[in-house]
Every structure is written in structure tokens, then in C-alpha cells.
Amino acid sequence: MLATQSRVRAKLPPPRRPLASEAVDAEPRQIGDLLGAFYEGALEQPPWQQALKMLQQRLQAAHISLILRPPTAENSGVMINVGEDHDARVSYEKQFFAVDPFVSLKEGEVMTPEELIGKQWLEGPMYLEYLRPQDVRYVLGADVYTADGIECRLRATRRHDSLPFGEQDKALFRFILPHLKRSIQIQSRLDSLECERQMLAGTVNRMLLGVISLAQGGEILEMNDEARRILAERDGIWRGPNGLQADNPDDKRELQRLVQRALGHGSGNPGTGMVEAMPVSRPSGRARLSLVVKAVPAGDWCDTRKRPAAVIFLRDPDCNNAPPSLDLVRRLLGLTRVESRMALLLTEGYTLDEAAEMMNIRRNTARTHLRSIFCKTGVTRQTMLVRLLLRSVFSLG
């Protein structure tokens, strides 16, 4: 009888590792919330904070770390941590990253340091000097790589008085990895778009062009610094509770007409491609503001009332662009510092005599510098020099 039982046990298959899907069958709603948090995490600042907290609770982990950019000797990297104290993170970024052997895991594989390195893991400096003082005994990890060069590391830890990570924990890691990868790719794309937006917004600000975006309902969505400055002066145009308002009754009616037309109110169709302009008189007697209204075409795949439907550009003729950088003019045109300063003074509207007086040089010396500027830039008249500087990239520096 015992021999028969032994033969039966010998024929039993070995214990099967749980599939990723099996780790989530029992609690689909909670897993759905976790996955939703990872996707929504791409929009958070810092990203994925809530998702990592939920993963920490589900795994009963002491810490969860997502290393978005691994530290190097030249860069501290980017890490998002849940449960780990600040001093420990700084120690890793400055020192212990260099002795961490639990890195460069094969994508899709979920493992512990002992499975990757062996028993010597507990004899190395990473465990003895960094993890053990934090009361960390067990570590579970997986790495994610993207086609555009992103390398992310997901790590979970447990304390010495906890149970080791089991197959169910690994199955959960394997299940969320592809979703984490997609969310990382989404966040990377959003970050690139935001960098591009900030770069263009900074350029527009340096050109002192006010920009105001309007939603489909006419409410103001966003405005840049120059637009805020112009509206804050309340000189001809200002921001009221129902949108932009003009002081002059005729200007007010014309502004409302242009905005309504750009938004398509009354016609049912936004004025696609519509660009119209109007001057705005100012009670102070200063030069009139220039205002342009432009319709913003709707996107092909998304229709929301919170997207820009029209944009208003404002220009204050009494506010001059910031002068170009002296060093930038010198490098791009090959001028000396004295020649660069003279060229900038002429661009600001000063005569040659006035520039010479401001620079404390004689008129003949100023004329000599001017001839040198003409020779180096290829222009033959002072007006051409001014046009060259105003129409070049110098104002973007």
C-alpha cells in the first residue's frame, strides 16, 4: 500500500507557477483600480504616486520604488518612492547605486536577488550596508525597457519579520508590467509635448506677444505672462467675469463679434481658418493695442469643450522687445563687444551721435566702428543693420 502511494506521488506533476491572469481573477475590481491608477499616473506630478501606494498595500510591502532614470556618477537619476525615507534615497543616488548588482534584469522576468545572484547577495555591500540597516530583507524586482531608450526598474521590499515574496506576488508583478510600460510610454510622450509647449511659450513671451486661449463656450482657458500684464493694466481691455471686456463701446461690440464668429456661435460652425484683427483704443491716450482673433480648428479624434477653440493675440506697441543678448550678437555676427553694443543701441532707436555719447567715445571713433560693423555683416546702411537685428534670431536668446 505504501509502495503504491509512493508511486502515485512520484507521478504527480511538480507545483505549477501561477499565471499572471490567475493572480487577478479573485479580485477583478481591485485589479482594475490598480491598472487605472497606473494609466492615470502618467498625468500626475509626480507620476504614479497613487498607483505605487496601491501596489504597496496589495503586496504588503515596506517600500515600492520606481526608478525612471537610473543614477550615474554624473546624474542622481529620477526615482519615485513609497515608504522609503529621504536619507535612504539620497544614499542610493549618491553611493549605493554603484554597488547594486540587482540591475539589468531581462524584460518581463520577475525575480528576487537570490534567484539572480545566489546566496552571496546576503554577503554583499548592497545588503549589508544599505538594505539591512533599513530593516529590508526581501526584494522583488522587474525591469522595463522601451524602444526610445527608457530603462525603468520596479522594486518592492519587505522587512526581516515578513514572509518572502511568493509566486502570487510575482504573478501580480508580471501582470502589471506591460501596463506600466504603456503608461511610461504615454508619460514620455506627454513630457515631450510639455517641453515643446514650454519652449514655444517662452519664445512667444520673449517676443512680448500676449496670447489668450478661449474654450468653445468663450471662457478663458489660459493666457501667457504678456497677456496678463496687458489685461492687468485695464487700459482699453481687461478681464471681466464673463470674459474679455473693452472700455470703448465700439471696441467692445467688435471684439464680441470677432470672438463669436471664431467660436461659430450663431452660425453653428466655428470660423475654421478665420483670422481677423482690430485696434483697441486706450483711455490713457497711449498708442492703441493691436488685437488678432484666430479660430483654432477642432481635432480629428477628440471633441471636448475644454480644448482651445479660438486664440487672441495682443500686442502693445509701447512695450519694446527685450534687447538681444550682447554675447549672442557678438558670437553670431563676429563683432567685438564695443561693436555689438553700438549695434544694439542703434537697434533701440538711438542715432549714431547719441550712441557715441552713451558709449563715451568720439563721433569719428563711432563711425569707424560702424564701418567695421557694415563690413562684417554685409549691410551698407544703418536701416539695413537695424532690420537685420530685428528680423533675426537674436530676440530669442
Side-chain angles (χ1 to χ4, degrees):
M1 181 68 175
L2 291 176
T4 302
Q5 291 178 343
S6 299
R7 285 195 298 271
V8 170
R9 283 197 297 267
K11 293 180 181 180
L12 291 175
R16 182 173 61 85
R17 187 176 71 177
L19 298 174
S21 59
E22 293 176 345
V24 301
D25 284 343
E27 302 174 82
R29 180 171 180 178
Q30 291 87 338
I31 289 297
D33 291 342
L34 178 60
L35 294 183
F38 271 107
Y39 283 108
E40 292 172 3
L43 302 174
E44 297 174 358
Q45 290 296 329
W48 302 296
Q49 194 79 35
Q50 183 61 31
L52 296 182
K53 289 180 180 179
M54 293 174 66
L55 183 61
Q56 178 193 27
Q57 294 172 359
R58 188 171 183 85
L59 290 174
Q60 297 182 332
H63 316 103
I64 297 286
S65 295
L66 181 62
I67 304 177
L68 297 173
R69 186 171 66 243
T72 65
E74 297 78 25
N75 194 295
S76 61
V78 177
M79 301 174 60
I80 302 172
N81 300 287
V82 174
E84 189 174 46
D85 63 69
H86 174 74
D87 292 339
R89 178 177 60 82
V90 172
S91 295
Y92 183 85
E93 293 174 346
K94 292 186 175 181
Q95 176 184 359
F96 287 100
F97 77 90
V99 297
D100 186 359
F102 192 45
V103 296
S104 302
L105 309 181
K106 184 178 179 181
E107 183 169 21
E109 288 193 355
V110 179
M111 60 180 59
T112 65
E114 289 90 340
E115 291 172 326
L116 179 69
I117 300 163
K119 293 182 179 180
Q120 58 266 39
W121 161 256
L122 298 178
E123 302 169 359
M126 184 63 186
Y127 172 73
L128 295 176
E129 300 176 25
Y130 179 69
L131 294 177
R132 190 166 69 176
Q134 298 182 64
D135 191 21
V136 171
R137 169 60 182 86
Y138 305 106
V139 181
L140 187 65
D143 289 356
V144 172
Y145 307 90
T146 67
D148 52 355
I150 297 176
E151 175 186 349
C152 292
R153 302 170 185 168
L154 181 62
R155 301 290 185 268
T157 69
R158 284 178 179 169
R159 304 189 188 281
H160 287 80
D161 59 358
S162 302
L163 294 173
F165 289 105
E167 290 301 326
Q168 290 286 346
D169 303 316
K170 293 180 180 179
L172 178 61
F173 249 51
R174 279 189 291 271
F175 180 79
I176 66 173
L177 278 181
H179 301 280
L180 173 60
K181 181 175 181 177
R182 295 186 191 109
S183 184
I184 289 171
Q185 291 171 321
I186 292 171
Q187 195 276 337
S188 176
R189 178 58 176 159
L190 292 174
D191 184 64
S192 297
L193 291 173
E194 177 60 19
C195 289
E196 182 179 339
R197 188 196 70 82
Q198 291 184 6
M199 177 187 66
L200 295 176
T203 300
V204 171
N205 276 325
R206 285 191 292 272
M207 296 171 66
L208 297 183
L209 180 65
V211 182
I212 305 171
S213 62
L214 304 179
Q216 186 61 51
E219 62 272 22
I220 294 176
L221 290 177
E222 190 176 3
M223 64 178 73
N224 68 348
D225 292 340
E226 179 62 8
R228 291 189 188 95
R229 183 195 68 79
I230 293 174
L231 297 183
E233 289 184 345
R234 298 181 69 89
D235 189 11
I237 190 170
W238 45 280
R239 181 176 186 176
N242 298 318
L244 293 180
Q245 302 292 328
D247 289 319
N248 183 284
D250 293 336
D251 291 347
K252 181 177 181 179
R253 283 191 294 270
E254 180 65 4
L255 176 60
Q256 290 177 346
R257 185 187 72 83
L258 296 184
V259 169
Q260 294 299 312
R261 183 180 172 212
L263 297 176
H265 295 177
S267 65
N269 295 312
T272 304
M274 185 213 91
V275 179
E276 290 205 37
M278 61 173 285
V280 178
S281 58
R282 297 200 271 189
S284 66
R286 297 160 62 192
R288 293 186 299 179
L289 298 169
S290 299
L291 184 147
V292 173
V293 181
K294 185 180 187 302
V296 178
D300 292 334
W301 310 109
C302 181
D303 185 17
T304 170
R305 297 185 62 84
K306 289 302 181 181
R307 61 171 293 279
V311 62
I312 295 177
F313 300 102
L314 283 171
R315 170 77 77 178
D316 181 356
D318 288 342
C319 190
N320 296 322
N321 287 352
S325 162
L326 185 69
D327 288 337
L328 188 62
V329 172
R330 179 176 58 83
R331 289 196 301 268
L332 291 181
L333 295 183
L335 306 179
T336 66
R337 295 190 66 84
V338 174
E339 292 167 350
S340 298
R341 187 182 176 199
M342 174 171 287
L344 291 177
L345 288 173
L346 296 176
T347 303
E348 292 176 28
Y350 295 103
T351 66
L352 183 62
D353 290 342
E354 290 171 335
E357 183 178 352
M358 295 177 69
M359 296 174 65
N360 197 25
I361 60 177
R362 294 184 177 182
R363 188 176 192 279
N364 287 339
T365 303
R367 292 181 66 85
T368 300
H369 286 311
L370 185 59
R371 284 195 296 269
S372 177
I373 293 171
F374 285 170
C375 180
K376 292 179 179 179
T377 59
V379 302
T380 56
R381 294 194 303 274
Q382 189 171 320
T383 54
M384 295 173 63
L385 174 64
V386 172
R387 189 181 303 116
L388 172 66
L389 289 173
L390 291 178
R391 294 183 178 181
S392 66
V393 299
F394 300 121
S395 63
L396 305 182

